[in-house]
Amino acid sequence: MLEPEDLPRKFRRNDTDRSSRSPRPLPPLMQAGTQARTRSGRSSGRDRPNFWQSLFGRGKAAQRTDRGQVETTLQPLSRPSERYPDGLNLFQPQRLRSSSAPTQLPPTQLGPRRSTRGLPPPNGSTLPFKRRPDSTRPRPADRTPTRLERSPQAQTVLQSNTVLQSSTSLQQETRRRERRPVDPQARRDRPAAPAKPIRPLSPGAKAVAYVTRMVVLSVGIGVLAGTLLSIWDPATRASTSTQTAAKPSPSPAPTIAPSPQLAVGQELTPLKAAVQALIVQAVAQSPQTSPSAFFLDLDTNAYVDVNGSASVPAASTIKVPILVAFFQDVDAGKVRLDEVLTMRKELIGTGSGDMQWQAPGTQFTALDTIKNMIIVSDNTATNMVIARLGGIAVLNQRFKSWGLSTTAMNNMLPDLEGTNLTSAKDMTFLMTRVSQGELLSARSRDRMLGIMQKTVNDSLLPRGLGEGATIAHKTGDIGTLVGDVGLVDMPNGKRYAAAVLSKRAFNDDRATELIRQISRTVYQSLSRPVAPKAAPRADSEAPRNPDGSVVNPASTAMTPLDLRAEQ
């Protein structure tokens, strides 16, 4: 046992005159321990207020919280020289909580090592820690512990810790029992709550309930009886069998309607010979010139065909079927004339037109776009319309459905290589169907022809027309091909469709002059009045009697008696 003489002089004290001493300032180590520290609901014992004063008799007694939920941590000092003046080596207990029933425990002997719980274990060991099975160190019971005398203040702290620990164990056990699941069997064994007494119904309520039950029962019986009668009714069974027998067989799969063909009448042979003479003369001057032409009189279906089915580059004449497809979508409500189309960078086409000089993102109405496509042959406007209608593949499918066997698109404009193809016969057939109102409504047809009448380039078919004639047309020129497609209205009331496409040497103007000559020749031929046929003479064709008189047709009619005689 440590004697007061064994302690350093400055730590010696006299318990008899402790109350008369004035409190001295605490060392820095003790002052740091008095600072409160609360983290996650835990605090250190040395952080409690007046802890050091209560322990060494320099202040008031240790304060206790009302709730009693205090967690005291007493850390032993690392060096013997730093032990407390009374020689007590403090320990670190676990979380301690207050209890309503404090218990008093005898003083506990503390060994040389620190305890982890603050209380002696139940097996009587002097030190409350576990021993490892493979440890060769002697057990704490075999050691001779050094008994330390505790001051009254230290004994008070230990007793308060013991009380708090006991109350904590009791509260934990109570909460554990409260969280324990309830046994279903115990619930079933509980006495059932007494049932509420059933109040008897009044006579009026009994009558209402009886009437309600009878109504429900009668309705159910009526429904069941009606169902049975409808099942076993002979008339119903007969009608059902008749309907089953008369059920039509499934119709065969619909067949695809053939593409419409151009209805033509008699070919104008003299006019065709005149056109061929012009072509021979032009080819003699420029061997690379190879024209194809097709004309159709819409009043008589008379036509002129000079290599009209040949597939040639379409150039800008491909914009005519694109325009027809646009107005078809207008009629179907898929496109509005006032809707806004945005010019994207990938749709800008060089060549003809001024829209290519606008900044990407510029917006135009759909009507302005198609006007630029036809009137000034703007390639950028054409590409914007193609994109709005669904693309090249969609347009090619529609061209086929119209009966255009040669017309097809392969590239956006400008198509300087001539990959987009058509023929003079296809273009004439398309303009004929538009004029007859087969592809467009009357309003869209008139608007389309009105736009085509404003085409700026009038150097081809319009140069061969006479005074008073009007034409709705579209030209095409890619250097190696020049052509024009249109619908001509003559002053005499006639209308004919015309298409002339001519291959040529690059930018050879002789092909342009040839188209003008062909247009003039056809216009002059169709504008001549047709001489009426002479009526046949009656005396030369009517049958005559042996005496030379004209036989009366009424007298030669056979009577029913004559018919029976012949039979």
Side-chain angles (χ1 to χ4, degrees), residues 64-70 96-100 164 167-168 171:
R64 297 182 181 178
T65 58
D66 295 338
R67 297 182 180 178
Q69 186 174 354
V70 181
L96 305 179
R97 294 180 181 176
S98 63
S99 174
S100 59
L164 295 178
S167 62
T168 301
Q171 291 179 2

Side-chain angles (χ1 to χ4, degrees), residues 268 296-302 435 468-470 487-497 522-531:
L268 301 175
L296 178 64
D297 187 348
L298 300 184
D299 296 332
T300 62
N301 288 338
S435 175
T470 59
L487 199 63
V488 180
D489 286 312
M490 305 177 68
N492 59 4
K494 281 189 176 183
R495 172 178 285 185
Y496 67 92
V522 173
Y523 179 82
Q524 292 176 357
S525 176
L526 295 179
S527 61
R528 296 192 187 103
V530 179

Side-chain angles (χ1 to χ4, degrees), residues 111-390:
R113 297 187 62 180
R114 185 178 60 180
S115 173
T116 60
R117 293 186 178 271
L119 294 176
N123 56 4
S125 176
T126 57
L127 292 179
F129 61 85
K130 295 182 180 180
R131 174 184 175 84
R132 297 180 57 181
D134 57 345
S135 177
T136 57
R137 299 177 61 183
R139 296 179 59 84
D142 300 334
R143 301 176 185 175
T144 302
T146 303
R147 297 183 58 88
L148 299 178
E149 294 182 357
R150 299 181 181 86
S151 62
Q153 292 78 3
Q155 186 65 25
T156 303
V157 173
L158 293 178
Q159 291 178 1
S160 62
N161 294 340
T162 304
V163 171
L164 295 178
Q165 183 180 13
S166 300
S167 62
T168 301
S169 302
L170 181 60
Q171 291 179 2
Q172 291 179 353
E173 181 65 22
T174 303
R175 293 179 181 177
R176 185 163 50 254
R177 290 182 180 181
E178 291 176 354
R179 293 194 300 267
R180 185 176 304 170
V182 181
D183 186 8
Q185 184 65 26
R187 288 188 174 182
R188 288 193 294 267
D189 295 342
R190 293 178 182 176
K196 295 182 179 181
I198 300 176
R199 298 176 59 184
L201 297 176
S202 62
K206 289 183 179 180
V208 172
Y210 179 77
V211 172
T212 304
R213 292 173 184 173
M214 294 302 296
V215 170
V216 173
L217 180 61
S218 61
V219 171
I221 293 175
V223 172
L224 181 60
T227 304
L228 294 176
L229 290 177
S230 64
I231 293 175
W232 294 101
D233 186 13
T236 305
R237 295 174 62 186
S239 62
T240 304
S241 61
T242 303
Q243 293 176 1
T244 304
K247 185 178 181 180
S249 58
S251 58
T255 57
I256 301 176
S259 300
Q261 299 295 329
L262 179 62
V264 295
Q266 184 180 4
E267 186 172 10
L268 301 175
T269 306
L271 182 57
K272 180 179 180 179
V275 172
Q276 287 178 338
L278 296 174
I279 293 175
V280 170
Q281 184 180 358
V283 171
Q285 298 177 0
S286 177
Q288 296 185 10
T289 303
S290 176
S292 60
F294 199 98
F295 296 87
L296 178 64
D297 187 348
L298 300 184
D299 296 332
T300 62
N301 288 338
Y303 69 96
V304 174
D305 184 2
V306 180
N307 199 22
S309 300
S311 178
V312 296
S316 290
T317 60
I318 197 66
K319 299 172 184 178
V320 176
I322 296 175
L323 182 64
V324 175
F326 175 85
F327 277 106
Q328 273 192 344
D329 286 353
V330 171
D331 292 338
K334 299 179 181 179
V335 178
R336 299 194 322 272
L337 294 177
D338 60 344
E339 72 175 80
V340 176
L341 303 181
T342 302
M343 185 179 69
R344 302 195 303 268
K345 183 177 181 180
E346 63 272 14
L347 298 178
I348 297 177
T350 59
S352 59
D354 297 332
M355 292 177 62
Q356 59 180 316
W357 309 116
Q358 301 294 330
T362 306
Q363 295 182 340
F364 305 89
T365 63
L367 182 60
D368 292 340
T369 304
I370 60 172
K371 285 182 178 179
N372 290 331
M373 178 181 70
I374 298 298
I375 296 175
V376 297
S377 192
D378 197 301
N379 293 328
T380 302
T382 306
N383 294 337
M384 292 172 62
V385 175
I386 292 173
R388 178 62 182 86
L389 298 180

Side-chain angles (χ1 to χ4, degrees), residues 471-488:
I471 182 173
H473 69 112
K474 180 68 190 76
T475 58
D477 186 355
I478 57 172
T480 58
L481 180 133
V482 64
D484 200 353
V485 177
L487 199 63
V488 180

